[in-house]
């Protein structure tokens, strides 16, 4: 490799990793803001109400009791969801199950998208940081391709073992040419591929056919 080729390669990888870091930083920032604006305010309200009740030395009505129980339950469920976002549930034990849980969130927030998955019942043992990177790459891909789509799109997910390699295939069927062309040429997709290849020493590629794009994450 000549010096010029090396510099081009280095600059391309640098761009990809800077993009990746920016995306993850924004996610952490939004999570922190969510905690400050919702969860901390909720706990502050509960604490103040309970403190006032103790000062007034009065019995709590059944209505008030249920109100506080509902608030505490809401706080509990929010913290569960937050912990799952920061470190996905089941990831240490099962990558297929972690992918299914991730897709459930996307299904709930995108009713116009048709999701279908084919996950194996068992999976090989591999470092959790590798599984996390696969899961994060999948979520980035969904975030990129679905952020501007309002039309009906169908996506199929398949996880397979091929000899000593793992392969996650994502097949996306677009409804029209304009949506297909726009989402197939986003620069973020190239950054995602470069980042996955660099951090896993694996492969990331996609193929197009008619209105279909098939993504492959191989590691």
């Amino acid at each position: 490799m000549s010096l010029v080729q090396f510099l081009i390669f280095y600059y391309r990888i640098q761009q990809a990793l800077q993009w990746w870091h920016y995306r993850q930083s924004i996610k952490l920032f939004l999570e922190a803001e969510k905690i400050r604006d919702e969860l901390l305010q909720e706990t502050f309200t509960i604490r103040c109400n309970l403190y006032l009740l103790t000062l007034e030395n009065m019995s709590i009505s059944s209505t008030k009791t249920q109100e506080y129980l509902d608030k505490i339950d809401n706080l509990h469920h929010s913290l569960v969801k937050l912990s799952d976002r920061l470190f996905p549930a089941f990831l240490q034990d099962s990558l297929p199950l972690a992918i299914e849980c991730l897709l459930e969130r996307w299904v709930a927030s995108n009713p116009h998208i048709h999701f279908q998955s084919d996950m194996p019942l068992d999976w090989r043992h591999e470092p959790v940081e590798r599984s996390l990177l696969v899961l994060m790459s999948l979520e980035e891909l969904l975030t990129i391709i679905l952020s501007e789509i309002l039309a009906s799109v169908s996506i199929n997910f398949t996880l397979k073992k091929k000899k000593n390699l793992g392969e996650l295939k994502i097949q996306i069927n677009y409804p029209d040419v304009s949506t297909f062309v726009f989402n197939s040429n986003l620069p973020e997709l190239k950054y995602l591929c470069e980042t996955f290849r660099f951090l896993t020493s694996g492969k990331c590629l996609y193929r197009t056919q008619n209105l279909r794009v098939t993504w492959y994450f191989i590691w």
Side-chain angles (χ1 to χ4, degrees), residues 131-148:
S131 297
L132 181 60
L133 185 55
V134 172
L135 203 66
M136 292 171 69
S137 299
L138 172 58
E139 184 158 28
E140 285 296 342
L141 176 63
L142 293 175
T143 302
I144 294 167
I145 64 176
L146 298 182
S147 59
E148 301 295 333

Side-chain angles (χ1 to χ4, degrees), residues 199-210:
L199 295 179
T200 65
S201 299
K203 297 180 180 179
C204 177
L205 54 100
Y206 64 93
R207 299 185 177 128
T208 61
Q209 182 180 13
N210 298 326

Side-chain angles (χ1 to χ4, degrees), residues 31-201:
E31 292 293 355
E33 288 297 291
K34 188 175 182 66
I35 294 172
R36 296 187 188 101
D37 294 339
E38 295 183 16
L39 300 183
L40 292 182
Q41 291 296 324
E42 191 79 1
T43 55
F44 179 78
T45 302
I46 294 172
R47 180 187 175 108
C48 287
N49 287 332
L50 292 175
Y51 179 72
L52 290 174
L53 285 174
T54 57
L55 286 180
E56 295 171 0
N57 193 25
M58 60 183 294
S59 60
I60 306 176
S61 67
S62 59
T63 303
K64 280 292 183 183
T65 301
Q66 188 59 51
E67 180 184 337
Y68 296 142
L69 286 175
D70 290 342
K71 287 181 178 292
I72 293 172
D73 286 342
N74 179 63
L75 176 61
H76 173 78
H77 292 309
S78 297
L79 288 173
V80 169
K81 291 179 181 179
L82 176 60
S83 64
D84 287 346
R85 288 193 297 270
L86 294 176
F87 193 89
F90 311 112
L91 189 60
Q92 288 180 298
D93 303 316
S94 172
L95 177 60
L97 192 54
I99 292 176
E100 291 281 13
C101 290
L102 171 64
L103 295 181
E104 285 179 6
R105 298 205 307 268
W106 281 89
V107 169
S109 59
N110 295 272
H112 60 291
I113 306 295
H114 176 67
F115 292 87
Q116 187 173 1
S117 63
D118 181 14
M119 298 289 128
L121 295 177
D122 62 331
W123 190 250
R124 63 184 186 178
H125 175 74
E126 59 185 329
V128 68
E129 63 270 17
R130 180 66 56 83
S131 297
L132 181 60
L133 185 55
V134 172
L135 203 66
M136 292 171 69
S137 299
L138 172 58
E139 184 158 28
E140 285 296 342
L141 176 63
L142 293 175
T143 302
I144 294 167
I145 64 176
L146 298 182
S147 59
E148 301 295 333
I149 291 182
L150 298 177
S152 177
V153 173
S154 64
I155 310 179
N156 300 321
F157 305 85
T158 306
L159 182 65
K160 291 182 179 179
K161 290 183 287 187
K162 289 191 172 182
K163 296 183 178 179
N164 295 325
L165 297 175
E167 178 190 272
L168 177 60
K169 182 172 75 173
I170 303 101
Q171 192 175 81
I172 309 162
N173 299 291
Y174 291 101
D176 53 69
V177 175
S178 60
T179 306
F180 166 77
V181 172
F182 177 78
N183 283 275
S184 300
N185 294 282
L186 294 171
E188 292 88 350
L189 297 175
K190 295 180 181 179
Y191 292 153
L192 177 60
C193 273
E194 294 290 354
T195 302
F196 185 85
R197 292 172 190 153
F198 187 80
L199 295 179
T200 65
S201 299

